[in-house]
Amino acid sequence: MNHAPKDMEISVHQLMGELRLNHGLSPCLANHVSIFELHVCDTVDLSKFPVDRIRNFCIIAHIDHGKSTLADRLLEITGAIAKTEKNKQVLDKLQVERERGITVKAQTASLFYSHQGEQHLLNLIDTPGHVDFSYEVSRSISACQGVLLIIDANQGIQAQTVANFYLAFEAQLTIIPVVNKIDLKNADPERVESQIEKVFDIPREECIRLNLEQTLRRFSKRLWRGFHRKQLNTEDPFKALVFDSNFDHYRGVVANIAVFGGRVRKGDKIVSAHLGKTYEVNELGLLRPDEHPTQKLFAGQVGYIIAGMKDVKEAQIGDTLYLQEQPVEALPGFKPAKAMVFAGMYPMDQSEYPGLRSAIERLTLNDSSVTVQRDSSLALGAGWRLGFLGLLHMEVFNQRLEQEYNASVIVTAPTVPYKAVLSSAKLIKEHGSEEITIVNPAQFPERSVVSEYLEPMVLGTILAPDSYTGKIMSLCLNRRAVQKNMVYIDDQRVMMKYLFPLNEIVVDFYDLLKSLSSGYASFDYENAGYQAADLIKMDILLNGRPVEELTTVVHRQRAYSTGKAMCERLKDSIPRQMFEIAVQAAIGSKVIARETIKAYRKNVLAKCYGGDITRKMKLLKKQAEGKKKMRRIGNVEVPKDAFISVLKRKEK
Amino acid sequence: MIKLTCRAAGRVLCPGLRCFSGGEVTEHASGWIQSPHLTEQASLYVHWPYCLRRCSYCNFNKYIPKKNNDHIMTKCLQWETDTLLQLSQVSCITSVFFGGGTPSLTHPSTIAAILETLSKRMSLSDEAEITLEVNPTPAGMSKLDDFVRAGVNRFSIGVQDEDLKSLGRDHSSQEALKTIEEARRLCPGRVSVDIMFGRPKQTVESWEKELSELLRICDDHVSLYQLTLERGTQLFKQVQCGEVTVPAEDVTAEMYQCARKTLQQHGFLQYEVSNFARHNSVSHHNMSYWRGKQYIGVGPGAHGRFVPLGEGGVFREARTQTLEPDVWIREVQQRGHGTRRRIQLSRLELLQEVLVMGMRKTRGISHKHWELFSPEMGLCEIFGASMDVQQLVQSGQLILDDRGLCCSWDGLALLDSILPTLLVELERQILQKPHRDHSVFTDGQTKKTSNPQ
């Protein structure tokens, strides 16, 4: 049974053809403007901006190809921000964004420029760069008329470049490839342009080589000319797309919207198409990039709106807003965020539980895509099972938790949501559906009541120099991946597409890929539905007794290696005891891996006289304290550290 | 107080009692306060901090002196002895132990002077055990006679590892041999030989050979110590960086078991984890530690456990003297003592120490002995109902019967795995009954604790 989407097999070349058609449609606005005077206007009279003088665009790129830097420079040139050394990555407001050089939350800035006495409005929507946020990207993109696809002149096309291209391509936007960093040593714009031609089927003449300082003006011109405008009308009923939302403690939810029709003003009653709830608009305005309140927003504009929403879940990304008295059809493509990677989070110490709870609550206020479920583990105490869009999303969340809320947490190794198709009528009735999702191994139904198990799949794109092809192929094979495609994008670089079980890439795949390719390979993936899989439940036994919190769902092929690795980690982290301990991995009653912790043969301090007592007592009391906290499995005492070392995500 | 030898090993002691019943014993009525019997007596440990050289494995409190200040050191040891005896108000010193460092480097007159100070406060019977740690050197050997004349009646001789390997076959091991012979001549039946196992390059076979050499020459007391890697020693660094390897855990476990058997076959009864004696020649001084008796520590870094009755104290204190000899000397000159830290032991803490130390003895802790410290709660009451303790009893590691609580032969080798279980149970039971909290206070200007070992 194949649950992969049908379009999986679409080849790059088919897509290329479609792209060309799309390009043909782009109207050229060359006559409209010739020389640009970019500047900020002090007074914003938005009614003076007819729809045909507004352009919304976003910049998409692989990590580090210069997206945020370009955005900063654009803001500088239009005077939206001051030109200083410190002004780096202005749109990346979060610490984690600046540190990692990535954008997590989509941000928006409105830029003005005038030409021949006419004011023009350019709305820049900075998007998250990673595919985990592809839904946010795709919603941001749908608010735009065009995208700038930035490619580093040295590194060439990378996995994310490809993923981002398809997002824009599917949204039928005009795509302007920009070859960035051409001044750097080793830059090879020729080669990159021919890659673009080959992979995206965009003629090399359409690429812009960008040397920031010199050609930005020329580039702005191109930018204007390249983007066609959508047919929007300020006379239509109001209709807006929510493409991002934030939570502000004083004002509630701040939603970023793109107005696709009509106008909205303070005091209007608006409705969320998804929830059907009505709100009154308290405040609205432009983002330049800071909030700049205005009286109204018009079709074609991008801005923010505050309407008394109390929870970010009320302003879901992709939702449509309209006026209460003028219902409209919702914009297509809305889907609630779906968690693809799950991990347990527990406080280091149970006394830190309330603090961690409020940190998680505050952080999820700003990120409606994180799912939170209370969980508790015999070993780690009370905690949560959180669902994330993907791995980077999870890492960013953890990092923000640590940096912004100073919370130290135990994060368990990530798991994926499996599914089971039930065969027992009784169970189907109990669950209310034939197909159930299994997030916790404890809920894993027995083989006898299940007609099949399903696991989530992803379509991965790997780009790397061809000298690493062999190693990469064997790594993928090892991860149960099926090759779907392989193309040379130039004479040295190969693009490979593989269908992976998601579970195979959530833990350490990316790190291994990076290390075996000396850092040259790039990887990205998109969700590709569910597929039947031979899943089994594996128990870990200590002297024959199962350890509930270590029960794992694995693919049959991976059972041995996973079981062995868990046994080894346990062996290294359970202290020797007075008797031998068998650490076993078992499927049902069949043991598949075993490690032995040998009994202590001698454990007694050689000397203990008057001067040794103080030190000895300290040590023993510490052990006695530790003993109270240990979890007993039969007669085996297991320290919390042992669970942490088995359950925890490995440090990089 | 500290006791330790700078060379390989330990020390031993003999029986002795000399006592005097003099001082006044204040009666204390409240709760767990120790019976007068416990506060009337103490043993005395005197620390001589100097060594000739630094041994690679030793982390004891010892110094290589730059200049000879034996005279000042002697004066200060006398002074501190006097101060602390007075403070403790004991009427009887049951034994004296001169440890170090290398106390056999000192002049016999130092020993004589300290014992004299002691006798001035109380009469010291001829039978009281007075032990001196000795390193086998030619100079040391010639002085043994003088030490005996100064009052020493027991020697604890540390045999160096290189001596053991070639016992009697080269110059330095000849010295060791002669020292032991001389000591036995002077104090027959009251000489302990201390040796160390688990040394680099040692195998079970070579250890067995060393052991049989040892049995040929030793007296009635043997202490066996497993070499422990201590942070900050040269050996620790060498092992860390892979220059030197020490035998694996399983190997040292076998060395220990094999020594226990061999010594038993030769009539040596094990009476503590590391101590063996025949003809009842146990170290009385060390026995008093394991029995939870009071002791007074004198000298740099020495530890003590006693009730300072002299200043109206009612609780036993854990006391530590200042570590560095020069600083200690200054403090003694200024205040009459160099006590750096005093911690009052709570009832629970005292019982924890009594338990931990008592279980090191092969005989463990008798009901009667426990009652001395815990009249309101017996061993059976505390440990009898615990499932965990029961499990240790059933698996044959622990014995709880009408004699008391002790480890089995196998259990003794695993004592440190057993003790946490006992401590958890003890705490649970004791905390159910209200007791006074302990407090920490610091003596003198300095606040920092120093632990000489």
Side-chain angles (χ1 to χ4, degrees):
Chain A
M1 180 165 170
N2 189 352
H3 287 250
K6 287 195 195 95
D7 61 1
M8 191 80 71
E9 307 283 353
I10 292 179
S11 77
V12 175
H13 289 282
Q14 276 172 283
L15 289 170
M16 293 309 120
E18 287 174 47
L19 177 68
R20 200 176 313 136
L21 280 175
N22 189 35
H23 260 260
L25 292 174
S26 313
C28 179
L29 298 177
N31 300 333
H32 191 73
V33 276
S34 48
I35 302 161
F36 289 98
E37 287 302 323
L38 294 168
H39 73 261
V40 186
C41 66
D42 298 330
T43 52
V44 185
D45 184 355
L46 289 174
S47 61
K48 287 199 181 134
F49 283 98
V51 178
D52 65 357
R53 268 192 263 146
I54 299 172
R55 293 292 181 276
N56 297 337
F57 72 101
C58 55
I59 308 173
I60 55 182
H62 189 78
I63 283 176
D64 249 8
H65 280 198
K67 180 163 62 79
S68 295
T69 315
L70 175 61
D72 288 353
R73 292 293 90 79
L74 276 173
L75 292 175
E76 243 173 57
I77 288 185
T78 58
I81 58 168
K83 184 175 180 176
T84 68
E85 263 308 297
K86 279 188 221 152
N87 259 330
K88 283 188 176 162
Q89 289 182 255
V90 174
L91 295 182
D92 291 342
K93 291 175 182 162
L94 306 175
Q95 185 187 354
V96 51
E97 293 181 317
R98 290 174 185 226
E99 267 180 29
R100 290 178 171 237
I102 57 171
T103 303
V104 175
K105 298 285 289 178
Q107 300 287 351
T108 305
S110 297
L111 319 170
F112 296 93
Y113 69 91
S114 68
H115 162 60
Q116 296 176 343
E118 274 189 330
Q119 289 275 316
H120 297 262
L121 180 63
L122 273 178
N123 292 314
L124 163 61
I125 299 173
D126 193 15
T127 58
H130 194 271
V131 72
D132 277 2
F133 308 102
S134 66
Y135 182 64
E136 288 201 21
V137 178
S138 74
R139 298 326 287 172
S140 300
I141 281 174
S142 58
C144 295
Q145 286 91 51
V147 299
L148 302 180
L149 180 64
I150 316 280
I151 302 149
D152 184 304
N154 187 5
Q155 292 183 24
I157 291 179
Q158 298 289 312
Q160 264 173 253
T161 320
V162 179
N164 284 325
F165 169 80
Y166 286 133
L167 283 175
F169 179 78
E170 279 160 18
Q172 303 191 336
L173 299 196
T174 303
I175 298 165
I176 301 177
V178 176
V179 182
N180 196 11
K181 306 190 188 177
I182 55 168
D183 295 338
L184 290 184
K185 208 177 145 198
N186 299 328
D188 189 354
E190 294 286 335
R191 182 162 151 248
V192 174
E193 281 165 7
S194 72
Q195 286 179 355
I196 293 170
E197 204 165 52
K198 173 131 197 207
V199 180
F200 302 139
D201 211 10
I202 300 174
R204 60 174 64 210
E205 311 77 65
E206 291 189 18
C207 299
I208 296 179
R209 287 191 195 180
L210 182 64
N211 170 332
L212 260 183
E213 300 309 321
Q214 294 163 8
T215 58
L216 196 56
R217 270 158 196 273
R218 252 186 55 215
F219 155 77
S220 306
K221 181 170 159 185
R222 229 347 252 296
L223 185 149
W224 184 253
R225 292 158 60 189
F227 295 154
H228 69 111
R229 62 175 201 270
K230 287 189 178 173
Q231 294 307 308
L232 307 174
N233 195 333
T234 50
E235 303 308 317
D236 286 348
F238 167 67
K239 183 182 198 177
L241 171 77
V242 177
F243 63 87
D244 194 15
S245 59
N246 295 287
F247 185 81
D248 183 297
H249 276 279
Y250 302 103
R251 301 178 299 170
V253 175
V254 181
N256 290 2
I257 58 166
V259 185
F260 282 173
R263 63 186 77 194
V264 65
R265 77 186 86 198
K266 224 169 139 173
D268 280 350
K269 290 268 195 318
I270 55 165
V271 179
S272 138
H274 174 54
L275 294 173
K277 280 176 114 174
T278 305
Y279 306 91
E280 186 181 322
V281 179
N282 302 326
E283 184 186 330
L284 44 71
L286 298 177
L287 295 154
R288 318 176 36 199
D290 296 322
E291 286 167 9
H292 195 109
T294 56
Q295 291 304 308
K296 295 172 191 169
L297 282 176
F298 296 89
Q301 291 177 341
V302 168
Y304 71 96
I305 192 162
I306 298 170
M309 293 173 175
K310 299 273 188 306
D311 184 337
V312 272
K313 296 210 161 34
E314 293 176 83
Q316 286 224 35
I317 293 168
D319 198 1
T320 305
L321 303 178
Y322 56 83
L323 292 177
Q324 195 180 19
E325 61 272 20
Q326 286 178 302
V328 298
E329 200 178 317
L331 294 157
F334 172 76
K335 49 181 180 182
K338 195 167 108 225
M340 286 313 290
V341 174
F342 290 85
M345 287 205 186
Y346 299 89
M348 277 305 219
D349 187 298
Q350 281 296 306
S351 65
E352 295 161 13
Y353 182 91
L356 184 57
R357 182 180 56 203
S358 75
I360 288 176
E361 274 168 6
R362 273 180 289 166
L363 210 45
T364 49
L365 274 181
N366 256 323
D367 191 347
S368 59
S369 52
V370 179
T371 63
V372 182
Q373 209 184 326
R374 265 202 288 188
D375 201 358
S376 81
S377 150
L378 290 170
L380 306 176
W384 300 266
R385 176 160 286 269
L386 303 190
F388 301 97
L389 300 173
L391 281 179
L392 184 83
H393 187 208
M394 178 174 94
E395 269 173 36
V396 165
F397 187 90
N398 293 347
Q399 201 175 335
R400 290 186 66 187
L401 205 56
E402 278 175 22
Q403 287 177 343
E404 293 169 36
Y405 299 99
N406 200 20
S408 68
V409 288
I410 300 165
V411 181
T412 65
T415 57
V416 302
Y418 293 111
K419 286 183 177 176
V421 181
L422 301 171
S423 59
S424 130
K426 190 176 157 238
L427 277 179
I428 294 171
K429 204 176 162 197
E430 225 171 79
H431 288 279
S433 69
E434 192 186 353
E435 203 175 87
I436 57 165
T437 302
I438 310 146
V439 172
N440 190 330
Q443 311 155 343
F444 193 75
E446 298 230 353
R447 190 77 189 85
S448 59
V449 298
V450 162
S451 63
E452 68 180 342
Y453 297 110
L454 307 172
E455 65 177 332
M457 305 298 288
V458 292
L459 183 64
T461 303
I462 300 169
L463 271 107
D466 60 358
S467 51
Y468 299 107
T469 311
K471 282 185 189 169
I472 291 172
M473 285 169 77
S474 67
L475 172 67
C476 293
L477 200 65
N478 207 8
R479 297 304 176 109
R480 302 191 285 127
V482 178
Q483 196 177 70
K484 290 290 174 191
N485 194 332
M486 180 164 156
V487 195
Y488 271 81
I489 62 167
D490 61 23
D491 53 354
Q492 284 160 21
R493 292 186 68 87
V494 184
M495 177 167 79
M496 289 171 271
K497 297 231 174 203
Y498 277 91
L499 186 63
F500 286 95
L502 176 60
N503 188 41
E504 296 289 336
I505 61 162
V506 290
V507 180
D508 55 357
F509 176 80
Y510 187 60
D511 299 331
L512 281 173
L513 180 70
K514 277 281 177 201
S515 77
L516 68 76
S517 66
S518 316
Y520 284 114
S522 64
F523 174 72
D524 211 336
Y525 66 88
E526 58 191 283
N527 295 330
Y530 274 76
Q531 197 168 291
D534 191 3
L535 301 176
I536 44 175
K537 187 161 92 167
M538 182 175 71
D539 288 315
I540 298 293
L541 314 175
L542 290 180
N543 280 351
R545 300 234 192 169
V547 187
E548 202 180 306
E549 45 272 72
L550 298 182
T551 300
T552 323
V553 173
V554 284
H555 190 273
R556 192 177 293 276
Q557 269 180 33
R558 309 287 284 166
Y560 174 74
S561 58
T562 310
K564 177 109 186 116
M566 288 178 82
C567 290
E568 280 168 2
R569 284 216 231 171
L570 273 177
K571 185 194 174 180
D572 293 341
S573 49
I574 297 179
R576 290 173 82 166
Q577 298 182 18
M578 292 167 70
F579 40 82
E580 187 174 285
I581 304 167
V583 183
Q584 296 165 311
I587 296 164
S589 56
K590 192 181 157 217
V591 172
I592 57 165
R594 172 184 173 131
E595 293 288 328
T596 304
I597 301 170
K598 286 208 255 170
Y600 258 131
R601 289 192 54 206
K602 177 174 188 280
N603 179 30
V604 61
L605 186 69
K607 278 187 205 189
C608 196
Y609 299 103
D612 308 302
I613 301 177
T614 304
R615 191 165 75 145
K616 177 69 178 164
M617 288 310 301
K618 221 181 204 172
L619 203 71
L620 282 169
K621 281 183 198 167
K622 210 173 133 198
Q623 285 171 8
E625 276 314 301
K627 203 177 174 67
K628 288 189 215 157
K629 291 184 191 145
M630 285 201 208
R631 174 138 154 69
R632 289 276 278 265
I633 311 291
N635 55 352
V636 183
E637 287 176 333
V638 187
K640 190 171 172 181
D641 285 354
F643 286 103
I644 294 173
S645 88
V646 177
L647 294 174
K648 202 185 157 189
R649 217 162 161 240
K650 272 194 242 161
E651 299 293 330
K652 292 218 175 121
Chain B
M1 95 173 8
I2 317 261
K3 64 207 353 320
L4 344 132
T5 47
C6 170
R7 57 245 143 95
R11 77 262 14 261
V12 173
L13 263 270
C14 283
L17 329 167
R18 79 267 304 313
C19 271
F20 149 74
S21 46
E24 278 163 48
V25 178
T26 326
E27 290 290 324
H28 303 291
S30 61
W32 60 274
I33 290 166
Q34 299 161 34
S35 69
H37 182 70
L38 286 168
T39 54
E40 273 165 10
Q41 308 182 334
S43 55
L44 178 70
Y45 174 82
V46 182
H47 192 79
W48 184 263
Y50 301 119
C51 282
L52 274 183
R53 63 185 180 96
R54 217 172 276 277
C55 296
S56 71
Y57 48 81
C58 176
N59 73 333
F60 294 158
N61 186 35
K62 75 310 168 163
Y63 299 81
I64 316 301
K66 289 184 199 84
K67 58 177 199 300
N68 186 323
N69 57 355
D70 285 12
H71 179 68
I72 301 167
M73 181 55 79
T74 304
K75 278 267 173 270
C76 288
L77 286 173
Q78 282 181 277
W79 199 348
E80 191 173 56
T81 303
D82 199 52
T83 310
L84 297 183
L85 280 177
Q86 209 176 339
L87 182 65
S88 74
Q89 297 270 299
V90 292
S91 53
C92 176
I93 287 293
T94 51
S95 61
V96 183
F97 196 105
F98 293 94
T102 311
S104 55
L105 290 177
T106 149
H107 197 272
S109 63
T110 300
I111 305 294
I114 295 166
L115 291 176
E116 202 178 312
T117 306
L118 190 58
S119 324
K120 274 186 195 152
R121 289 238 157 247
M122 63 199 68
S123 72
L124 200 60
S125 105
D126 287 346
E127 290 101 60
E129 184 185 272
I130 316 265
T131 309
L132 176 73
E133 275 183 2
V134 175
N135 269 12
T137 58
M141 190 174 68
S142 62
K143 284 198 287 189
L144 291 186
D145 200 8
D146 298 329
F147 283 128
V148 169
R149 247 171 278 144
V152 170
N153 57 20
R154 186 171 179 274
F155 292 110
S156 173
I157 302 174
V159 180
Q160 303 285 356
D161 50 349
E162 53 268 32
D163 295 342
L164 260 179
K165 273 183 278 177
S166 53
L167 215 55
R169 286 191 297 275
D170 67 13
H171 185 65
S172 82
S173 64
Q174 281 290 346
E175 274 165 17
L177 204 56
K178 279 191 194 153
T179 305
I180 294 169
E181 274 169 14
E182 174 71 356
R184 291 181 68 178
R185 189 182 64 78
L186 293 165
C187 302
R190 306 188 74 163
V191 176
S192 174
V193 179
D194 311 339
I195 51 171
M196 203 185 273
F197 67 95
R199 303 185 320 255
K201 293 191 201 139
Q202 202 178 27
T203 63
V204 176
E205 293 71 36
S206 70
W207 168 237
E208 279 175 326
K209 238 176 105 195
E210 286 168 26
L211 210 54
S212 59
E213 292 284 343
L214 173 82
L215 282 164
R216 258 186 337 104
I217 54 153
C218 70
D219 195 34
D220 287 345
H221 193 279
V222 173
S223 300
L224 302 179
Y225 300 115
Q226 180 178 333
L227 177 128
T228 31
L229 283 179
E230 302 285 357
R231 274 182 183 283
T233 61
Q234 191 197 342
L235 186 65
F236 185 83
K237 276 179 226 137
Q238 289 171 325
V239 172
Q240 285 291 97
C241 65
E243 271 172 48
V244 173
T245 51
V246 290
E249 217 174 290
D250 285 352
V251 178
T252 54
E254 196 175 337
M255 288 175 176
Y256 181 63
Q257 297 299 4
C258 122
R260 289 174 86 186
K261 267 180 226 135
T262 309
L263 285 165
Q264 196 179 33
Q265 283 158 10
H266 287 79
F268 283 88
L269 288 182
Q270 183 176 17
Y271 67 99
E272 191 259 358
V273 172
S274 304
N275 286 282
F276 301 80
R278 62 184 168 197
H279 308 136
N280 208 22
S281 299
V282 299
S283 161
H284 286 247
H285 182 84
N286 290 340
M287 270 307 248
S288 63
Y289 295 136
W290 301 318
R291 284 185 173 140
K293 301 288 183 64
Q294 291 203 126
Y295 55 95
I296 296 166
V298 167
H303 286 231
R305 291 282 186 286
F306 63 88
V307 181
L309 292 177
E311 57 174 39
V314 289
F315 301 112
R316 183 182 286 195
E317 288 179 5
R319 302 170 65 97
T320 315
Q321 310 309 108
T322 293
L323 206 58
E324 308 83 358
D326 294 346
V327 183
W328 174 84
I329 285 171
R330 213 177 310 134
E331 287 172 6
V332 174
Q333 284 169 342
Q334 282 164 5
R335 295 186 272 147
H337 67 89
T339 303
R340 176 59 62 102
R341 189 175 193 226
R342 303 165 56 181
I343 297 174
Q344 237 176 46
L345 297 181
S346 66
R347 171 182 177 228
L348 174 64
E349 285 169 320
L350 177 64
L351 291 180
Q352 284 171 333
E353 291 196 0
V354 169
L355 178 73
V356 165
M357 296 306 272
M359 290 305 287
R360 292 185 65 88
K361 294 179 291 158
T362 47
R363 292 214 180 144
I365 302 164
S366 70
H367 292 297
K368 201 178 151 211
H369 179 67
W370 184 258
E371 203 194 326
L372 210 55
F373 297 92
S374 176
E376 58 285 273
M377 230 184 176
L379 287 171
C380 290
E381 213 179 324
I382 292 170
F383 300 112
S386 156
M387 289 302 293
D388 289 352
V389 175
Q390 278 307 314
Q391 210 166 39
L392 290 168
V393 170
Q394 270 155 27
S395 64
Q397 317 279 3
L398 207 60
I399 300 162
L400 178 60
D401 60 14
D402 53 5
R403 284 169 298 180
L405 181 70
C406 69
C407 290
S408 67
W409 169 274
D410 289 335
L412 194 63
L414 297 170
L415 179 61
D416 289 358
S417 295
I418 296 173
L419 285 173
T421 303
L422 298 180
L423 287 170
V424 167
E425 208 47 48
L426 176 65
E427 186 182 335
R428 184 179 320 165
Q429 296 295 336
I430 295 298
L431 292 186
Q432 280 172 7
K433 295 200 174 183
H435 72 287
R436 284 155 193 251
D437 212 359
H438 75 279
S439 55
V440 180
F441 49 94
T442 310
D443 198 13
Q445 321 84 322
T446 24
K447 292 241 162 92
K448 207 60 238 162
T449 308
S450 34
N451 185 329
Q453 305 212 16

